[in-house]
Amino acid sequence: MPTRYTFGGDEHLFVECSDEMSLEAFFKSLSMANGVKESAIKGITEICPANASFQIKFDPDQIKPDDVLKEVRAIEGAAERAEPVIRTRIVEIPVFYNDPWTHETLMRFRERHQEPSGTDLDYATRINGYGDVDDFVAAHSGSPWFVSMVGFVAGLPFMYQMVERQRQIQVPKYLRPRTDTPRLTVGHGGCFGCIYSVRGAGGYQMFGITPMPIFDPTQTTSYLRDFMVFFRPGDIVKFKPIDRDAYDQAVEDVDKGRFSPPVREVSFDLREFQKDITGYNTRLEGMINGH
Protein backbone atom coordinates (compact mmCIF):
# COMPACT_ATOMS: atom_id res chain seq x y z
CA MET A 1 0.00 0.00 0.00
CA PRO A 2 1.18 3.60 -0.49
CA THR A 3 2.12 5.43 2.68
CA ARG A 4 -0.97 6.86 4.33
CA TYR A 5 -0.83 10.27 6.07
CA THR A 6 -3.55 11.32 8.53
CA PHE A 7 -3.74 14.43 10.68
CA GLY A 8 -4.90 14.03 14.27
CA GLY A 9 -6.34 17.29 15.52
CA ASP A 10 -4.08 20.33 15.24
CA GLU A 11 -0.87 18.79 16.61
CA HIS A 12 -0.36 15.28 15.25
CA LEU A 13 0.51 13.56 11.98
CA PHE A 14 0.07 9.78 11.77
CA VAL A 15 2.20 8.03 9.14
CA GLU A 16 1.14 4.47 8.22
CA CYS A 17 3.61 2.59 6.04
CA SER A 18 1.59 -0.61 5.73
CA ASP A 19 -1.67 -2.10 6.95
CA GLU A 20 0.09 -5.33 7.90
CA MET A 21 3.27 -6.04 9.83
CA SER A 22 6.42 -7.09 7.97
CA LEU A 23 10.12 -6.45 8.38
CA GLU A 24 10.03 -4.36 5.20
CA ALA A 25 7.27 -2.13 6.60
CA PHE A 26 9.06 -1.89 9.94
CA PHE A 27 12.33 -0.88 8.25
CA LYS A 28 10.60 1.82 6.22
CA SER A 29 8.78 3.28 9.24
CA LEU A 30 11.92 3.18 11.39
CA SER A 31 13.99 4.77 8.63
CA MET A 32 11.43 7.54 8.19
CA ALA A 33 11.11 8.13 11.94
CA ASN A 34 14.90 8.33 12.25
CA GLY A 35 15.00 10.67 9.25
CA VAL A 36 12.49 13.01 10.87
CA LYS A 37 14.53 12.99 14.08
CA GLU A 38 17.82 13.68 12.30
CA SER A 39 16.27 16.49 10.24
CA ALA A 40 15.51 18.42 13.44
CA ILE A 41 12.54 20.12 11.79
CA LYS A 42 11.58 23.20 13.75
CA GLY A 43 8.26 22.70 15.50
CA ILE A 44 8.32 18.90 15.72
CA THR A 45 8.34 18.07 19.43
CA GLU A 46 7.93 14.29 19.59
CA ILE A 47 8.20 11.17 17.40
CA CYS A 48 6.54 7.93 18.48
CA PRO A 49 7.49 4.85 16.39
CA ALA A 50 5.23 1.78 16.17
CA ASN A 51 5.26 -1.57 14.35
CA ALA A 52 4.74 -0.31 10.79
CA SER A 53 3.87 3.32 11.45
CA PHE A 54 4.80 6.31 13.57
CA GLN A 55 3.21 9.46 14.91
CA ILE A 56 4.62 12.96 14.98
CA LYS A 57 3.62 15.68 17.42
CA PHE A 58 4.24 19.25 16.32
CA ASP A 59 3.60 22.78 17.51
CA PRO A 60 1.23 24.46 15.01
CA ASP A 61 2.42 27.87 16.23
CA GLN A 62 5.89 27.03 14.86
CA ILE A 63 5.08 24.98 11.77
CA LYS A 64 1.95 24.62 9.66
CA PRO A 65 0.45 21.12 9.27
CA ASP A 66 0.88 21.22 5.48
CA ASP A 67 4.55 22.10 5.93
CA VAL A 68 5.03 19.13 8.27
CA LEU A 69 3.46 16.90 5.66
CA LYS A 70 5.71 18.29 2.92
CA GLU A 71 8.85 17.72 5.00
CA VAL A 72 7.89 14.16 5.91
CA ARG A 73 6.98 13.25 2.33
CA ALA A 74 10.47 14.32 1.27
CA ILE A 75 11.95 12.13 4.01
CA GLU A 76 9.85 9.20 2.75
CA GLY A 77 11.50 9.51 -0.65
CA ALA A 78 14.96 9.45 0.90
CA ALA A 79 14.02 6.47 3.10
CA GLU A 80 12.89 4.44 0.08
CA ARG A 81 16.27 4.99 -1.60
CA ALA A 82 18.33 4.23 1.51
CA GLU A 83 20.15 0.94 2.09
CA PRO A 84 18.09 -1.32 4.40
CA VAL A 85 20.82 -1.59 7.01
CA ILE A 86 20.65 -0.55 10.67
CA ARG A 87 23.13 -0.51 13.52
CA THR A 88 21.45 -2.21 16.44
CA ARG A 89 21.93 -4.64 19.33
CA ILE A 90 21.32 -8.34 19.81
CA VAL A 91 20.30 -9.22 23.37
CA GLU A 92 20.02 -12.61 25.06
CA ILE A 93 17.00 -12.85 27.37
CA PRO A 94 16.77 -15.80 29.80
CA VAL A 95 13.28 -17.35 30.03
CA PHE A 96 11.94 -19.85 32.54
CA TYR A 97 9.24 -21.49 30.40
CA ASN A 98 6.19 -23.09 32.06
CA ASP A 99 7.09 -21.43 35.35
CA PRO A 100 4.88 -21.75 38.47
CA TRP A 101 3.85 -18.06 38.62
CA THR A 102 2.40 -17.66 35.15
CA HIS A 103 0.95 -21.17 35.48
CA GLU A 104 -0.90 -20.23 38.67
CA THR A 105 -2.18 -17.06 37.02
CA LEU A 106 -3.38 -18.67 33.81
CA MET A 107 -5.20 -21.38 35.78
CA ARG A 108 -7.12 -18.65 37.66
CA PHE A 109 -8.40 -17.27 34.34
CA ARG A 110 -9.24 -20.45 32.40
CA GLU A 111 -12.86 -19.41 31.91
CA ARG A 112 -11.57 -16.55 29.74
CA HIS A 113 -9.51 -18.84 27.52
CA GLN A 114 -10.30 -20.64 24.26
CA GLU A 115 -9.36 -24.01 25.78
CA PRO A 116 -10.02 -24.05 29.55
CA SER A 117 -8.86 -27.65 29.91
CA GLY A 118 -5.18 -27.03 29.14
CA THR A 119 -2.51 -24.37 29.56
CA ASP A 120 -1.52 -21.50 27.30
CA LEU A 121 1.54 -23.47 26.18
CA ASP A 122 -0.61 -26.53 25.43
CA TYR A 123 -2.94 -24.40 23.31
CA ALA A 124 -0.14 -22.62 21.44
CA THR A 125 1.61 -25.94 20.80
CA ARG A 126 -1.51 -27.53 19.31
CA ILE A 127 -2.69 -24.71 17.03
CA ASN A 128 0.82 -24.16 15.66
CA GLY A 129 1.21 -27.83 14.80
CA TYR A 130 4.01 -28.83 17.17
CA GLY A 131 4.23 -32.34 18.63
CA ASP A 132 4.66 -31.32 22.25
CA VAL A 133 5.44 -28.32 24.46
CA ASP A 134 9.19 -28.96 24.29
CA ASP A 135 9.05 -28.69 20.50
CA PHE A 136 7.10 -25.46 20.77
CA VAL A 137 9.58 -23.95 23.26
CA ALA A 138 12.43 -24.95 20.94
CA ALA A 139 10.71 -23.07 18.09
CA HIS A 140 9.95 -20.03 20.25
CA SER A 141 13.51 -19.77 21.52
CA GLY A 142 15.21 -21.09 18.39
CA SER A 143 15.05 -17.94 16.27
CA PRO A 144 15.61 -14.24 17.02
CA TRP A 145 12.88 -11.61 17.34
CA PHE A 146 12.85 -7.95 16.26
CA VAL A 147 11.64 -5.33 18.74
CA SER A 148 9.29 -3.39 16.47
CA MET A 149 8.00 -0.95 19.10
CA VAL A 150 8.17 -0.17 22.82
CA GLY A 151 5.10 1.07 24.60
CA PHE A 152 1.46 0.54 25.45
CA VAL A 153 2.71 0.39 29.02
CA ALA A 154 6.12 1.79 29.91
CA GLY A 155 9.02 -0.33 28.69
CA LEU A 156 6.96 -3.14 27.12
CA PRO A 157 8.55 -4.48 23.88
CA PHE A 158 6.49 -5.83 21.00
CA MET A 159 8.55 -8.43 19.13
CA TYR A 160 8.24 -9.89 15.63
CA GLN A 161 9.69 -13.35 14.94
CA MET A 162 12.46 -13.36 12.35
CA VAL A 163 11.45 -16.40 10.32
CA GLU A 164 9.55 -17.06 7.10
CA ARG A 165 5.91 -15.99 7.34
CA GLN A 166 4.62 -19.58 7.25
CA ARG A 167 6.82 -20.48 10.25
CA GLN A 168 5.79 -17.59 12.47
CA ILE A 169 4.13 -18.51 15.73
CA GLN A 170 0.59 -17.15 15.82
CA VAL A 171 -1.80 -17.41 18.78
CA PRO A 172 -4.97 -15.39 19.42
CA LYS A 173 -5.34 -13.39 22.60
CA TYR A 174 -7.58 -14.55 25.44
CA LEU A 175 -11.31 -14.36 24.72
CA ARG A 176 -11.55 -11.85 27.59
CA PRO A 177 -8.51 -10.11 29.11
CA ARG A 178 -7.16 -11.16 32.49
CA THR A 179 -7.11 -8.74 35.38
CA ASP A 180 -3.65 -9.96 36.39
CA THR A 181 -0.38 -10.85 34.68
CA PRO A 182 2.92 -11.39 36.56
CA ARG A 183 5.65 -8.84 35.95
CA LEU A 184 8.17 -9.99 33.33
CA THR A 185 5.83 -12.54 31.77
CA VAL A 186 6.84 -13.59 28.25
CA GLY A 187 3.59 -13.47 26.29
CA HIS A 188 2.22 -13.76 22.78
CA GLY A 189 -0.80 -12.40 20.91
CA GLY A 190 -1.43 -12.64 17.17
CA CYS A 191 2.01 -12.65 15.53
CA PHE A 192 3.63 -10.56 18.28
CA GLY A 193 5.63 -11.61 21.31
CA CYS A 194 6.04 -9.32 24.29
CA ILE A 195 7.47 -9.07 27.80
CA TYR A 196 5.16 -7.53 30.39
CA SER A 197 7.29 -4.83 31.99
CA VAL A 198 4.97 -4.42 35.00
CA ARG A 199 2.29 -6.48 36.71
CA GLY A 200 -1.22 -5.81 35.46
CA ALA A 201 -4.08 -6.75 33.19
CA GLY A 202 -3.39 -8.52 29.92
CA GLY A 203 -4.76 -10.72 27.19
CA TYR A 204 -1.67 -12.32 25.63
CA GLN A 205 -0.99 -16.04 26.06
CA MET A 206 1.60 -16.66 28.81
CA PHE A 207 4.57 -18.90 28.02
CA GLY A 208 7.05 -18.17 30.82
CA ILE A 209 8.86 -15.50 32.78
CA THR A 210 12.25 -13.80 32.65
CA PRO A 211 14.31 -12.86 35.73
CA MET A 212 15.67 -9.83 33.86
CA PRO A 213 14.00 -6.48 34.70
CA ILE A 214 13.33 -4.40 31.57
CA PHE A 215 11.82 -1.31 33.22
CA ASP A 216 12.94 0.37 36.42
CA PRO A 217 11.62 3.87 37.19
CA THR A 218 13.90 4.02 40.25
CA GLN A 219 16.95 3.36 38.01
CA THR A 220 18.57 1.26 40.74
CA THR A 221 18.97 -1.86 38.57
CA SER A 222 22.66 -1.96 37.59
CA TYR A 223 22.13 -1.90 33.81
CA LEU A 224 19.19 0.55 33.92
CA ARG A 225 20.89 3.41 35.78
CA ASP A 226 21.32 5.52 32.65
CA PHE A 227 17.78 5.00 31.37
CA MET A 228 14.80 3.29 32.99
CA VAL A 229 13.68 1.45 29.81
CA PHE A 230 15.89 -1.35 28.48
CA PHE A 231 14.53 -1.99 24.98
CA ARG A 232 14.72 0.17 21.85
CA PRO A 233 12.94 -0.32 18.51
CA GLY A 234 15.25 -2.34 16.28
CA ASP A 235 16.76 -4.46 19.06
CA ILE A 236 17.11 -8.15 18.22
CA VAL A 237 16.14 -10.57 21.00
CA LYS A 238 17.32 -14.16 21.43
CA PHE A 239 15.46 -16.11 24.13
CA LYS A 240 17.48 -18.60 26.20
CA PRO A 241 15.51 -21.32 28.05
CA ILE A 242 16.60 -21.72 31.68
CA ASP A 243 15.52 -23.94 34.58
CA ARG A 244 14.37 -23.00 38.09
CA ASP A 245 17.87 -23.03 39.58
CA ALA A 246 19.20 -20.69 36.87
CA TYR A 247 16.16 -18.46 37.31
CA ASP A 248 16.68 -18.19 41.08
CA GLN A 249 20.38 -17.47 40.57
CA ALA A 250 19.62 -14.73 38.05
CA VAL A 251 17.08 -13.11 40.41
CA GLU A 252 19.73 -13.09 43.15
CA ASP A 253 22.31 -11.64 40.76
CA VAL A 254 19.89 -8.86 39.75
CA ASP A 255 19.21 -8.04 43.42
CA LYS A 256 22.94 -7.86 44.17
CA GLY A 257 23.81 -5.84 41.06
CA ARG A 258 25.78 -8.68 39.44
CA PHE A 259 23.48 -9.40 36.50
CA SER A 260 24.49 -8.03 33.13
CA PRO A 261 22.45 -9.06 30.07
CA PRO A 262 24.57 -10.32 27.16
CA VAL A 263 24.46 -7.55 24.53
CA ARG A 264 26.37 -7.23 21.25
CA GLU A 265 26.36 -4.36 18.78
CA VAL A 266 25.54 -5.63 15.28
CA SER A 267 24.80 -4.36 11.80
CA PHE A 268 21.59 -5.84 10.40
CA ASP A 269 21.12 -5.97 6.63
CA LEU A 270 17.54 -6.73 5.60
CA ARG A 271 18.45 -7.81 2.07
CA GLU A 272 21.15 -10.22 3.26
CA PHE A 273 18.70 -11.60 5.84
CA GLN A 274 16.07 -12.23 3.16
CA LYS A 275 18.54 -14.12 0.96
CA ASP A 276 19.20 -16.77 3.64
CA ILE A 277 17.05 -16.35 6.75
CA THR A 278 18.24 -19.49 8.55
CA GLY A 279 21.90 -18.85 7.82
CA TYR A 280 21.67 -15.18 8.80
CA ASN A 281 19.95 -16.07 12.09
CA THR A 282 22.67 -18.61 12.82
CA ARG A 283 25.30 -15.90 12.36
CA LEU A 284 23.37 -13.56 14.66
CA GLU A 285 23.19 -16.26 17.33
CA GLY A 286 26.90 -16.80 16.97
CA MET A 287 27.51 -13.12 17.64
CA ILE A 288 25.65 -13.19 20.96
CA ASN A 289 27.45 -16.40 21.94
CA GLY A 290 30.83 -14.92 21.08
CA HIS A 291 31.56 -17.14 18.04
Side-chain angles (χ1 to χ4, degrees), residues 3 23 37 51 75 77 81 88 92 102 142 149 162 164 167 183 185 194 203 205 212 264 283 287:
T3 302
L23 286 179
K37 181 179 179 181
N51 297 314
I75 289 168
R81 295 188 297 271
T88 186
E92 186 178 83
T102 60
M149 65 172 282
M162 296 167 59
E164 297 85 352
R167 290 178 54 208
R183 172 176 169 264
T185 290
C194 81
Q205 308 285 336
M212 176 184 154
R264 296 289 184 274
R283 293 196 294 276
M287 292 176 190

Side-chain angles (χ1 to χ4, degrees), residues 120-137 171:
D120 294 5
L121 275 170
D122 292 334
Y123 176 62
T125 296
R126 183 185 67 77
I127 68 170
N128 283 278
Y130 290 97
D132 56 32
V133 167
D134 288 343
D135 290 341
F136 177 82
V137 168
V171 193

Side-chain angles (χ1 to χ4, degrees), residues 56-185:
I56 295 169
K57 184 177 182 181
F58 59 90
D59 182 350
D61 291 332
Q62 295 190 53
I63 187 169
K64 295 177 181 178
D66 287 346
D67 290 336
V68 174
L69 180 58
K70 181 180 177 181
E71 295 276 6
V72 177
R73 282 190 184 277
I75 289 168
E76 178 187 3
E80 290 177 338
R81 295 188 297 271
E83 293 290 318
V85 179
I86 59 171
R87 289 294 302 172
T88 186
R89 310 181 296 176
I90 182 168
V91 184
E92 186 178 83
I93 305 292
V95 181
F96 182 17
Y97 288 92
N98 206 15
D99 66 281
W101 305 284
T102 60
H103 185 271
E104 185 276 331
T105 303
L106 65 87
M107 294 309 292
R108 281 194 282 124
F109 292 96
R110 289 332 279 167
E111 80 284 356
R112 303 180 183 218
H113 196 273
Q114 291 87 346
E115 289 192 2
S117 59
T119 68
D120 294 5
L121 275 170
D122 292 334
Y123 176 62
T125 296
R126 183 185 67 77
I127 68 170
N128 283 278
Y130 290 97
D132 56 32
V133 167
D134 288 343
D135 290 341
F136 177 82
V137 168
H140 187 270
S141 61
S143 59
W145 301 68
F146 244 109
V147 176
S148 56
M149 65 172 282
V150 180
F152 187 69
V153 296
L156 185 151
F158 286 85
M159 296 172 288
Y160 186 75
Q161 195 176 21
M162 296 167 59
V163 294
E164 297 85 352
R165 181 66 65 94
Q166 64 270 22
R167 290 178 54 208
Q168 285 182 344
I169 292 169
Q170 297 199 43
V171 193
K173 295 186 288 186
Y174 274 44
L175 297 175
R176 289 186 294 131
R178 301 177 303 274
T179 56
D180 190 24
T181 308
R183 172 176 169 264
L184 299 179
T185 290

